[in-house]
Amino acid sequence: MSHFDIERPIVKLPEQQPEQQIPDEELVWTDEEQERIEERKAKYPDPKSAIMDLLWMAQEKYDYLPPEAIRLCADTLDMDYARAYGVATFYTQYYKEEKGKFVLDVCTCFSCQMMGGYDILHYLEEKLGIHKGETTDDGLFTVEEVECLGCCGSAPMMQVTNGPYVHNLTKDKVDALLDDLKDGNMPPFVSVTLPQDEDEMGGNRRSDVEATETYQTPPRSEAVK
Amino acid sequence: MELTNGATKAGDWRNYERVLLPPIRNLHKLEVYENEANGYNRLRDVLENDDWTPESVTNEVKASNLRGRGGAGFPTGLKWSFMPDPDDRPRYLACNADESEPGTFKDRQIMEYNPHLMFEGILIAGYAMQLDACYVYIRGEYADWIRHMEAQLQKAYDKGYVGDNIMGTDFSMDIVLHKGAGAYICGEETSLMESLEGKRGYPRYKPPFPAQKGLWASPTTINNVETLAHAPLIIENGGEWFANTGAEAHPGPILYGISGHVNRPGVYEYPTGMLITDLIDEVAQGVIDDKGIKAVVPGGCSVPPLRGDGIDGVTMDSESLQEAGSMLGTGGMLILDEDTDMVSYLRRVTHFYQHESCGQCTPCREGTGWLERIVTRIDEGEGNMRDLDLLLDLCDQMEGRTICAFADAAAWPVRNTVKRFREDFEAKCKPSVHPTGADLSAAGATAA
Ligand SMILES: Cc1cc2nc3c(=O)[nH]c(=O)nc-3n(C[C@H](O)[C@H](O)[C@H](O)COP(=O)(O)O)c2cc1C
Ligand code: SF4
Ligand code: FES
């Protein structure tokens, strides 16, 4: 029997009358943000098309998107709340509920499945004492299982809080990553060098990036027999 | 064994010199791109040389026989010629940088290492189709690369390569980077347009086709990143050069993304028409621990997997792969060794489709859920033999009955994995209630 535990689809209904999380006085854009909003609105023939940008900005500002944050975006663009809410709930990267300070999105899809994605996911779950989808009690880590992140050559891999990718994961690397994150250090941007570049030009072709890795021979998954 | 296709169509690929990602240090920087890679000179030629008209650029792309690299393989020149004559509406290009097909990781390499080639290709396409703006739809997970490209795009704007009156001519075009937020379906071209317009990414019915009514109801063409990156190379070297590189029916350089149980995974640039066996044995330096090959998925998770014993002589182009029973897709190859359990594999694949279906069409929304549940049941040892036929029947109910091609893409791997690796599935199903050879006549007699 295989060891992974994909959930049956369940539809969770949102809280109908959630308590407001962000006080009214914080529900305003700063001048800089306002400027950025105008800039983005001007890029589209219909300013409402900038809703995805605004949701991103709100998420950066408030860490997640409670209904009042979505309403702020909708009001800014003069669009219906229902439409903005519809957009926010369609895309998985918008956090509709509060998550840990660091969200560890482990890819277990396709190539990563075969190269140990589930080993990494299960290791994290065990180490942090939570299941995927849950947050540690100290509010530091949320672990999630995600679909292909477009980095299958350096599988298994993960993304930290919609930001940097961490490639060629091993248990040691996960340990080091967690220690770094506890110290408040996000992993750096890593350039994965092309095999042909290694043969023809010694690997890293970018002088502006220090952290590089090569595509490596991945481990075979232990979780998939 | 008789070879179906035989020899490589990629010519002397061992001495192939890369053009999409040539070995030039710091190529992503504008100065380097200009000085060492002939950067933006192809665009200058197109804009300033009177021999180039929008029609002749499109014709050159037609002559190159370039086929889209986003998965469907549609001839690019032909697609460009579908744009109606200019009227009072604006005209758009959408560059598809969503790259969410599992097993695909090639467009990101262009965005990181050679973004200006993509921008130059966008502008050449813009000239050929007389467009006003291009929206590059980049998946939200690529946040680091979006920042990287924003910086480079600003440099191109500052240099007057993008924006109003490019290079002092009367051609003007804007490029806008749009950040997605995590939804596979937004790679589908009509869903991508909905998402760009700031809506839920629900695919649209076709017709009307995007060339008639696309972004904000204006004429729109959608092309993949790699497809557009080929345009400057075709202008520089000629359509004939392109048409004579690689496989005749599906020519040109291509980025292969190789992942899975191989010794050297990664993105490689070679001509189309490479033998799959060459790619595995020589390019990717063989299977880990010299194991045998159980399956090869040649072009991302949506294409049917090939059996490892059926890949001899098969080359990476649409013709040969079709003959072998698969497709080129995105050129993202997954190699699975002999110990792989194809039921596990399919279970995760069906989970992907269940998770990513947008839910508009009943056969897709419900079908993907049932595919996952049935395969999971088999994987858990709870399945019956009849479930295999049920799976195939479900595929019949899904294919061709939905708004977009997602449901077909979900059904193909299921149908072909079950058919081609049936022994794996049967081994996990509960034995049939009637063991083969049982005498059923007595049971029939008592019922009568
Ligand atoms: C479900 C689905 C997902 C798709 N995802 C992508 C994608 O991530 N990237 C891409 O370039 N094309 C994707 N496509 C193909 C596009 O719809 C479209 O055919 C392609 O972008 C056209 O560009 P091309 O002609 O240059 O290949 C997808 C298609 C479907 C049906
Ligand atoms: S086929 Fe599936 S993904 Fe495509 S529109 Fe229908 S429900 Fe959505
Ligand atoms: S399968 Fe994990 S990044 Fe593609």
Side-chain angles (χ1 to χ4, degrees), chain B residues 264-281:
Chain B
R264 209 179 185 199
V267 172
Y268 295 87
E269 179 185 336
Y270 282 110
T272 58
M274 292 274 290
L275 281 168
I276 292 182
T277 45
D278 279 348
L279 280 170
I280 297 174
D281 297 338

Side-chain angles (χ1 to χ4, degrees), chain B residues 44-357:
Chain B
R44 181 169 288 120
D45 187 31
V46 161
L47 293 182
E48 291 179 356
N49 189 337
D50 289 338
D51 291 345
W52 287 117
T53 60
E55 293 74 39
S56 68
V57 173
T58 306
N59 285 337
E60 199 64 36
V61 175
K62 272 190 188 161
S64 76
N65 205 3
L66 165 63
R67 297 174 62 169
R69 300 286 196 247
F74 195 82
T76 306
L78 186 62
K79 190 186 258 189
W80 290 7
S81 68
F82 289 158
M83 285 294 269
D85 288 333
D87 51 24
D88 52 359
R89 290 179 298 172
R91 302 155 70 82
Y92 299 114
L93 178 67
C95 173
N96 194 339
D98 191 54
E99 187 155 71
S100 313
E101 175 79 13
T104 309
F105 50 114
K106 57 165 181 106
D107 293 339
R108 205 189 66 247
Q109 314 285 357
I110 296 179
M111 295 190 254
E112 177 171 354
Y113 293 131
N114 205 355
H116 288 288
L117 186 68
M118 175 179 99
F119 296 145
E120 192 174 358
I122 287 172
L123 295 163
I124 290 171
Y127 175 79
M129 292 180 276
Q130 303 172 58
L131 309 176
D132 298 283
C134 170
Y135 291 86
V136 187
Y137 189 97
I138 312 160
R139 65 180 299 181
E141 288 87 345
Y142 285 176
D144 280 334
W145 291 273
I146 295 175
R147 218 166 298 130
H148 170 69
M149 277 193 291
E150 261 168 5
Q152 293 306 322
L153 179 60
Q154 190 53 49
K155 291 199 175 129
Y157 260 103
D158 293 345
K159 262 285 184 78
Y161 293 151
V162 193
D164 290 336
N165 299 99
I166 295 170
M167 294 174 182
T169 63
D170 54 11
F171 175 64
S172 301
M173 184 171 177
D174 280 310
I175 299 180
V176 179
L177 305 184
H178 181 98
K179 185 181 183 187
Y184 166 69
I185 191 60
C186 290
E188 198 280 335
E189 54 188 24
T190 57
S191 163
L192 183 146
M193 294 193 297
E194 287 285 301
S195 183
L196 262 173
E197 291 181 7
K199 300 178 188 152
R200 288 167 78 86
Y202 285 142
R204 299 176 185 170
Y205 279 103
K206 287 188 277 194
F209 290 95
Q212 265 71 47
K213 225 176 157 205
L215 279 170
W216 299 285
S218 291
T220 303
T221 296
I222 297 102
N223 276 129
N224 169 261
V225 171
E226 188 190 333
T227 311
L228 291 165
H230 283 300
L233 306 171
I234 292 171
I235 296 298
E236 178 171 345
N237 303 317
E240 204 182 311
W241 157 81
F242 193 92
N244 289 329
T245 304
E248 201 183 327
H250 203 144
I254 189 170
L255 296 179
Y256 296 104
I258 306 179
S259 65
H261 301 137
V262 290
N263 285 319
R264 209 179 185 199
V267 172
Y268 295 87
E269 179 185 336
Y270 282 110
T272 58
M274 292 274 290
L275 281 168
I276 292 182
T277 45
D278 279 348
L279 280 170
I280 297 174
D281 297 338
E282 296 198 36
V283 174
Q285 297 181 357
V287 178
I288 302 172
D289 295 336
D290 285 325
K291 287 197 182 161
I293 299 170
K294 178 132 187 187
V296 174
V297 193
C301 133
S302 302
V303 310
L306 295 171
R307 279 179 72 96
D309 54 17
I311 56 170
D312 276 348
V314 180
T315 57
M316 288 295 279
D317 56 271
S318 51
E319 256 186 340
S320 173
L321 283 167
Q322 197 169 3
E323 202 176 306
S326 191
M327 285 176 285
L328 185 60
T330 60
M333 289 171 76
L334 174 68
I335 286 96
L336 299 173
D337 73 15
E338 58 194 346
D339 295 332
T340 310
D341 173 6
M342 295 306 284
V343 185
S344 269
Y345 160 83
L346 191 64
R347 178 176 173 181
R348 190 62 185 79
V349 168
T350 51
H351 173 67
F352 170 77
Y353 288 106
Q354 186 278 321
H355 184 260
E356 297 296 336
S357 168

